[in-house]
Amino acid sequence: MHISKEMVNEELRKSFLPARWIAFFLSKRWMARFMNTLGARIAGKNIDELHCEETYIPSNKEKHHIRVRIFRPKKVMGELPGFLYLHGGGYMIGKPEMYIDTIKKFIDAKPCVVVAPDYRKALDAPYPAAFDDCFDTLLWMKEHAEQIGIIPERFVVGGHSAGGGLTAAISLKARDTQEVKVAFQLPIYPMIDDRQITQSAVNSDAPAWNSKSNQLGWQEYLKGLKKQNLEIPAYAAPARATNYAGLPPTISIVGELEPFRDETIEYIENLRDQQIPVAFQVYEGCFHGFDIIVPDSSVSKDAWQFVLDSFSKYMDTYFLNQLPVEPSGPISQAL
């Protein structure tokens, strides 16, 4: 899908060329490694308005420890909802600290404790490394809820881009194993379909993330499976799931011009077919990550308002009160 500047939301056009360069560089393995080197410099970054911690937790399957950041509001006492936040980066790059402003937005919208793992990246550790690190972190949250200061019975899971893909995968496993309850999930413009066969994904030259960067991300993430000629499971690429029953209520957005548009819409439709409550919006003229790349634009502010309002409503409905709401209720009608 060819994306011209004229197709882009007017407020985002100033970032059209810079974001095109971002997509170009993210299609290069050497640049992904370079960005990880730069990203290592911000490990441990804090934000003054939050109480920030860093810890290392053991992996349940391998002999390594997962670096985890914990963020909580300073002025709210007592047990709070636990939110597992999974950062983006095409499964190849990134640190939790790159999304610290995003984390603060959620905490400000509804007081909670955000736990963000620095999961292993696909360039050095392909699937299931990142997936295992994230699910291990969720189990650790349940087992150490009193220590962390969170409610142990249920959790929120969310993330952007590849973090959104990991969110959908974690929610699948939580449903399948029943080891932990996900109250609701936020897969924000999620990276979930390795097949790249939808209209929006084929030959996309969109800013920020395009077909070539998408191909590299999936190639790196799934290289272990492909080397062994193994089938790609839904825990690796959640769009491959065939059973959507029992998945948690869901909040999501996607840009009209990004490669993930069609796979996200299909995922949401599969949830709706199972009568799962959904709050979802497609943002016209928007490329991948528009709300983070151009945060001061009106469309980005609208998107954030939608996500945070939905987050607050879902927290009240599905986490704090656990009241049943019909899928045709006011939340899902605000689509």
Side-chain angles (χ1 to χ4, degrees), residues 46-309:
N46 295 324
I47 190 165
D48 291 339
E49 294 86 349
L50 301 176
H51 180 74
C52 309
E53 299 177 30
E54 178 178 282
T55 190
Y56 287 81
I57 68 173
S59 165
N60 289 331
K61 292 185 178 180
E62 299 184 36
K63 295 181 179 179
H64 82 283
H65 283 73
I66 307 159
R67 188 177 75 92
V68 170
R69 296 303 312 273
I70 305 171
F71 304 93
R72 73 185 77 227
K74 286 184 174 180
K75 298 181 181 180
V76 182
M77 307 301 292
E79 284 187 340
L80 292 172
F83 181 6
L84 176 69
Y85 180 79
L86 310 173
H87 68 78
Y91 299 109
M92 300 182 293
I93 63 174
K95 295 282 181 187
E97 289 84 356
M98 292 179 176
Y99 288 78
I100 201 166
D101 291 334
T102 293
I103 289 169
K104 185 178 182 299
K105 283 184 171 73
F106 285 114
I107 293 175
D108 288 346
K110 204 72 175 178
C112 57
V113 176
V114 173
V115 178
D118 185 7
Y119 57 82
R120 287 170 289 171
K121 307 306 180 295
L123 293 174
D124 299 311
Y127 176 87
F131 173 76
D132 286 344
D133 287 353
C134 294
F135 196 74
D136 284 351
T137 303
L138 184 59
L139 295 180
W140 177 83
M141 291 170 67
K142 178 182 179 181
E143 294 164 2
H144 296 81
E146 183 176 357
Q147 172 190 336
I148 305 168
I150 57 178
I151 298 166
E153 288 83 11
R154 52 196 177 273
F155 303 88
V156 179
V157 181
H160 288 72
S161 192
L166 288 165
T167 293
I170 293 303
S171 294
L172 279 169
K173 184 167 183 179
R175 179 204 63 184
D176 293 345
T177 66
Q178 296 294 301
E179 293 178 85
V180 60
K181 178 175 176 57
V182 176
F184 65 93
Q185 63 166 343
L186 300 95
I188 306 299
Y189 36 75
M191 183 175 175
I192 55 176
D193 196 345
D194 66 293
R195 295 165 294 189
Q196 304 168 68
I197 55 176
T198 64
Q199 181 181 359
S200 64
V202 173
N203 297 324
S204 170
D205 58 358
W209 191 259
N210 60 26
S211 292
K212 291 182 179 179
S213 48
N214 201 26
Q215 181 179 8
L216 178 63
W218 282 116
Q219 176 182 311
E220 291 298 315
Y221 190 52
L222 302 178
K223 60 189 176 186
L225 295 173
K226 292 188 175 181
K227 186 177 181 179
Q228 301 177 64
N229 292 316
L230 296 176
E231 183 178 352
I232 307 301
Y235 292 164
R240 289 177 175 265
T242 57
N243 178 13
Y244 290 80
L247 286 173
T250 299
I251 299 166
S252 185
I253 64 170
V254 73
E256 177 201 15
L257 304 180
E258 64 174 288
F260 301 155
R261 181 196 66 200
D262 293 344
E263 62 202 64
T264 302
I265 291 173
E266 183 176 359
Y267 179 77
I268 293 299
E269 289 177 347
N270 285 329
L271 294 175
R272 286 174 171 159
D273 286 345
Q274 295 296 323
Q275 302 299 303
I276 295 168
V278 169
F280 177 61
Q281 290 278 17
V282 177
Y283 284 87
E284 185 177 353
C286 292
F287 49 74
H288 187 65
F290 68 96
D291 55 321
I292 293 175
I293 295 173
V294 194
D296 294 331
S297 67
S298 297
V299 68
S300 295
K301 292 177 181 178
D302 288 347
W304 267 113
Q305 194 66 51
F306 174 78
V307 169
L308 296 177
D309 284 351

